[in-house]
Amino acid sequence: MTRRREPLALWTCVIGAWLSLGFALYLTLLPFEFGEMGLEEAWSLYRDMSLQGPGTSGRAQFMANVMMFMPLGFFWMAWLTHGRDRLVWHLGALALVALLGLATTATAEFLQIWLPYRYPAGADIAGNFLGAVAGALMWWGLRRPLLHWRGQLAGPNRVIVPAVLIAYALLYVAIGLAPFDLVLSSAEWSQRLGPSAWGLWVATGACTSGLRCISELGLTLVASVPVGILLAYGGLRRRPPANGAVLVILAALLAILLEALNLATLSGIAEGRSAVLRGAGFVTGILLHAYLSPLQVMQALQRAAIPLLVVAAPLYGAALLVLNHDLGPYHWNPAAISAQWAQLNLWPFYYHYFVGETVALRSAALHVAMYLPLGALIWLAQIRRPLHPRQLQWLAALGGLLVALLMEGGKLLVVGLRPDPASLILATAAAWGMATALHFLTRLATEASTTSCTRTRPPGSAPVTAGRSTVINEPARREHERDELQF
């Protein structure tokens, strides 16, 4: 009997299942500073926990609890149903995942009684349980689309490109709406439509100056460019001359719509400048698709790699110093450094629990954005002599870790700043992810140029030779695909 095909390898499901369980327990049991309390007293407090709903003020935290347990349900459901077709087996796996989610959150909430700054709450248990069930149902519903998408990644470029762009667009919208604390009543809508939640240009309380503010606004523009490429990919392929103006109008309307969607969440803000930047990013993507081919971009980057690195690397280092250290003032006081180190909590994400969920998510997103250019620079440094995919990934991850360690360690020398250990993890993941994505896009551009040359070569002419960056033989191509797609 043949086992059904799956979008994820079994080992990926197993590792993801245990990592998601460990991640959920880690976040719910920070800071692991268990106090002294009798079991009877703890049980009494646990039975008397609040069973009220999250309310308006706690909706962001409730949704954060849901999202925290969704990976647990997703990967455990993927593991338990891997290669299984029978509906009865799937229903049993769903029940087991639900029980696992309930047991995990109930145990964690009980253990929180011994932790400072923590207390058990029925809303937390409900949110975590719903997250586990939602994650399991997500795998159930997305298994076939993911399998189809996985097959597209190994197919021709005309299939891969839209699949990747659509996945990015969905992620783009989801990140914009996080933490999904949706407006649920007319009273909340009245409050959200007030002047404090939106502005024709700048919303009340939004940043207006400083490099950090400029970086956030610049990230809005840059992150919108691939969505513009997706719009052009679908519109310009059919009627290029006529669809250009229509796409620009569509980009403007889409930017306004996406910005207005922020009003549907309690923590979101809608601004005219953000809508303008989104629209500018969409139009930039449309223009890039219309006037530049991937091969032209790759050739230009290969020719200008060294000058770009010479200029971009110092500018990037200066920007990191400003964003992380505010350019001082620095000091060299061994006693102050020792005292600050002694007070530092080294558990990653520990300090995120002392701020609101929205602030924590934005802080994490900004730290990821800070180290994405590092992955791009590492990829650019090897573009003329490409490394093996695994070597590039390890180099990018190590580079992100070392640079983040330098930035965070340097905060011990800056008056009023405190290192954040979470930055080491976020920087490593960001640099690794950017280098991996750019390598994948390089392969698409390379194979597109090879295919184009093959199709246009006259019969009987000599084969087209390629530089070192072009994969020209089938075994090497399959080896690269195997390294990139074995997840």
Side-chain angles (χ1 to χ4, degrees):
M1 182 180 66
T2 59
R3 297 171 66 89
R4 71 173 187 175
R5 296 176 60 216
E6 297 288 352
L8 298 179
L10 178 60
W11 65 269
T12 303
C13 299
V14 174
I15 294 176
W18 287 110
L19 284 181
S20 60
L21 177 60
F23 184 71
L25 289 173
Y26 176 85
L27 291 181
T28 52
L29 295 179
L30 275 174
F32 303 102
E33 299 172 357
F34 295 95
E36 295 182 1
M37 181 182 297
L39 186 60
E40 184 176 353
E41 182 182 0
W43 179 248
S44 176
L45 291 174
Y46 189 70
R47 288 185 304 172
D48 296 336
M49 80 170 85
S50 173
L51 299 179
Q52 294 181 348
T56 303
S57 60
R59 193 169 302 160
Q61 179 180 352
F62 179 82
M63 293 306 301
N65 287 328
V66 171
M67 291 187 292
M68 180 170 56
F69 269 63
M70 286 181 68
L72 182 150
F74 184 87
F75 283 106
W76 278 88
M77 188 70 176
W79 180 16
L80 295 177
T81 62
H82 197 276
R84 307 284 182 173
D85 270 325
R86 298 182 61 183
L87 179 61
V88 175
W89 187 280
H90 282 233
L91 293 175
L94 178 62
L96 285 176
V97 171
L99 289 175
L100 175 64
L102 182 60
T104 301
T105 182
T107 303
E109 292 295 317
F110 180 62
L111 293 175
Q112 285 181 4
I113 295 175
W114 282 274
L115 295 173
Y117 323 114
R118 296 279 198 163
Y119 55 89
D124 293 346
I125 294 178
N128 293 336
F129 173 73
L130 288 176
V133 174
L137 293 176
M138 182 179 294
W139 169 259
W140 206 355
L142 294 180
R143 193 197 71 83
R144 291 186 182 276
L146 286 175
L147 183 61
H148 177 67
W149 187 74
R150 171 70 180 271
Q152 288 180 326
L153 289 181
N157 288 345
R158 66 177 184 274
V159 179
I160 299 176
V161 173
V164 173
L165 290 175
I166 290 173
Y168 178 87
L170 294 175
L171 183 63
Y172 175 85
V173 175
I175 292 177
L177 295 177
F180 304 101
D181 49 341
L182 300 177
V183 175
L184 300 178
S185 68
S186 58
E188 293 174 356
W189 272 113
S190 299
Q191 181 182 4
R192 293 297 296 155
L193 295 177
S196 61
W198 65 279
L200 286 177
W201 184 248
V202 180
T204 303
C207 67
T208 56
S209 62
L211 183 60
R212 185 176 292 267
C213 182
I214 295 174
S215 301
E216 293 178 356
L217 296 175
L219 179 62
T220 301
L221 188 149
V222 174
S224 303
V225 172
V227 182
I229 296 176
L230 175 62
L231 292 175
Y233 196 88
L236 292 179
R237 290 180 64 196
R238 295 184 177 88
R239 287 172 290 179
N243 280 14
V246 175
L247 282 177
V248 172
I249 296 174
L250 179 61
L253 294 176
L254 181 61
I256 295 173
L257 175 63
L258 290 176
E259 193 63 24
L261 279 178
N262 287 326
L263 295 176
T265 62
L266 294 174
S267 57
I269 59 173
E271 298 181 313
R273 63 177 181 178
S274 182
V276 170
L277 290 171
R278 288 178 189 266
F282 296 158
V283 173
T284 301
I286 293 172
L287 294 176
L288 288 176
H289 181 272
Y291 295 103
L292 286 179
S293 69
L295 178 60
Q296 290 174 322
V297 174
M298 286 298 302
Q299 290 174 342
L301 289 176
Q302 287 175 343
R303 289 193 299 266
I306 295 178
L308 282 175
L309 286 172
V310 171
V311 174
L315 291 177
Y316 174 67
L320 276 183
L321 286 175
V322 174
L323 288 172
N324 285 280
H325 297 170
D326 294 329
L327 294 182
Y330 293 92
H331 70 88
W332 182 252
N333 187 337
I337 296 173
S338 178
Q340 187 176 8
W341 176 260
Q343 297 175 359
L344 182 65
N345 192 302
L346 296 179
W347 288 108
F349 303 103
Y350 169 79
Y351 294 105
H352 287 72
Y353 273 89
F354 295 94
V355 296
E357 286 74 16
T358 304
V359 175
L361 287 174
R362 288 177 177 171
S363 174
L366 181 60
H367 278 79
V368 169
M370 278 195 300
Y371 292 99
L372 288 175
L374 178 61
L377 290 175
I378 293 174
W379 168 82
L380 184 62
Q382 56 84 61
I383 192 172
R384 297 171 67 92
R385 293 179 174 272
L387 298 173
H388 188 276
R390 296 288 175 84
Q391 293 175 325
L392 175 61
Q393 291 166 358
W394 277 106
L395 181 61
L398 182 60
L401 177 63
L402 293 178
V403 173
L405 187 61
L406 181 63
M407 290 295 108
E408 297 303 318
K411 290 180 180 179
L412 293 172
L413 307 177
V414 181
V415 177
L417 294 184
R418 180 196 64 233
D420 185 2
S423 296
L424 305 182
I425 298 176
L426 297 174
T428 302
W432 175 88
M434 176 57 82
T436 302
L438 289 175
H439 172 77
F440 180 72
L441 295 176
T442 302
R443 181 174 70 84
L444 293 185
T446 300
E447 292 183 355
S449 64
T450 304
T451 303
S452 176
C453 292
T454 302
R455 289 179 177 176
T456 58
R457 179 161 46 91
S461 60
V464 177
T465 58
R468 188 170 177 179
S469 62
T470 304
V471 181
I472 59 174
N473 59 78
E474 186 67 14
R477 185 180 70 83
R478 292 189 178 277
E479 181 184 357
H480 275 66
E481 288 182 356
R482 184 170 59 252
D483 289 330
E484 293 161 354
L485 297 179
Q486 279 191 359
F487 51 82

